[in-house]
Amino acid sequence: MRVGVYIDGFNLYYGARGICGKGTSGWRWLDLRALAVHLLGKSSWANSTVERVVYCTARIGGTDNPVGAQEQDVYLRALQANGSIDELAMGVYVTRTAVNPLAVEGRRGRPKIVHPGWPIMIQNGAQQPEPQAVFLARVARREEKGSDVNVASHLLIDVMDGKVDAAVVISNDSDLEFPIKQMRLRLPIGLVNPTKGYPAGKLNGDPSAGAGSHWWYQLTATDLRHHQLPLTCGKATKPGPW
């Protein structure tokens, strides 16, 4: 059975960072094809092989993070030189300012809006306390656009073109709910949650629905650390902090 593997790069990166710990080394130089083969070995799909690995990401901005942009470029070149991916699908990375209310992390990481309270209080024009007021801040916002669309599009095109008999999607983005549900009607789907959080409820389903043989898996630190690229791939060498 020919399997296509479709990876949301930013979802994987930030999820893996949460699993392994920000600032730690030993997980970022990830061999995506080796990881995909490992995941198939954990599945119930007999006689399956990795036919295609499609990596969907975007180049981060180099203006405010030149080191990160340089390291990302080295990694992308290493993936291609090592044959770890068959296709690199690029979205866009945008930076802009946004006005948002101040918040702290609440249950399950959800934002909890901060309101005034002593020793800092806000008064209205009548010099009366306004405990329900909201603090606003203008902040820099960095955002990747297009990876989820590229994941869904490449999955759809490969199925339509008859290139794959089954698919693995590495993402916990609930925006993929509709395309994944549709694909489950047509072929077996393996869904891999690359974060340490709960799987997105919208991505759950019945293992026997549609084509059947669907499965779910949550990445671990061991999965990430045990499937690393060689130190040098072509002319690309693993960055020291990685």
Side-chain angles (χ1 to χ4, degrees):
M1 184 163 65
R2 302 167 302 161
V3 180
V5 181
Y6 306 86
I7 303 168
D8 183 334
F10 276 78
N11 205 264
L12 172 59
Y13 173 80
Y14 286 108
R17 189 176 76 174
I19 293 170
C20 296
K22 184 178 181 180
T24 63
S25 61
W27 58 271
R28 282 181 282 183
W29 198 239
L30 186 61
D31 185 336
L32 299 177
R33 187 176 297 278
L35 176 64
V37 171
H38 167 70
L39 293 173
L40 283 191
K42 288 181 168 291
S43 76
S44 59
W45 295 346
N47 301 317
S48 59
T49 58
V50 175
E51 180 74 12
R52 283 174 55 73
V53 178
V54 180
Y55 186 51
C56 304
T57 188
R59 290 189 181 276
I60 65 174
T63 301
D64 55 351
N65 188 8
V67 173
Q70 181 181 15
E71 291 178 344
Q72 183 196 39
D73 180 70
V74 172
Y75 179 57
L76 295 179
R77 288 191 285 112
L79 288 174
Q80 294 172 309
N82 196 61
S84 294
I85 57 175
D86 297 288
E87 187 156 352
L88 178 61
M90 302 298 287
V92 295
Y93 186 81
V94 297
T95 57
R96 58 188 178 187
T97 59
V99 175
N100 288 301
L102 290 181
V104 295
E105 187 171 314
R107 292 186 60 192
R108 296 189 178 181
R110 293 172 180 168
K112 182 179 179 181
I113 303 300
V114 174
H115 296 283
W118 295 111
I120 298 177
M121 178 57 71
I122 292 176
Q123 290 183 336
N124 58 26
Q127 297 187 338
Q128 296 298 314
E130 287 286 355
Q132 295 305 310
V134 174
F135 295 107
L136 296 178
R138 186 179 297 277
V139 298
R141 185 171 181 177
R142 302 167 183 85
E143 191 174 9
E144 173 274 331
K145 296 283 190 180
S147 287
D148 52 353
V149 174
N150 284 336
V151 165
S153 299
H154 281 277
L155 171 58
L156 174 62
I157 291 169
D158 287 352
V159 172
M160 291 175 59
D161 289 348
K163 292 181 178 179
V164 298
D165 307 305
V168 173
V169 176
I170 302 179
S171 178
N172 196 38
D173 188 342
S174 60
D175 288 345
L176 292 171
E177 175 191 12
F178 181 75
I180 286 178
K181 280 186 176 180
Q182 292 300 308
M183 288 301 101
R184 286 187 186 130
L185 299 176
R186 295 162 172 80
L187 75 172
I189 297 288
L191 191 62
V192 178
N193 176 7
T195 79
K196 66 178 181 180
Y198 292 95
K202 293 182 178 180
L203 299 182
N204 290 329
D206 183 346
S208 61
S213 297
H214 312 303
W215 51 267
W216 289 256
Y217 182 75
Q218 189 152 13
L219 281 184
T220 68
T222 299
D223 296 327
L224 297 162
R225 294 183 181 278
H226 285 193
H227 298 91
Q228 298 288 297
L229 293 164
L231 292 179
T232 299
C233 302
K235 295 182 179 180
T237 300
K238 177 182 176 180
W242 285 33

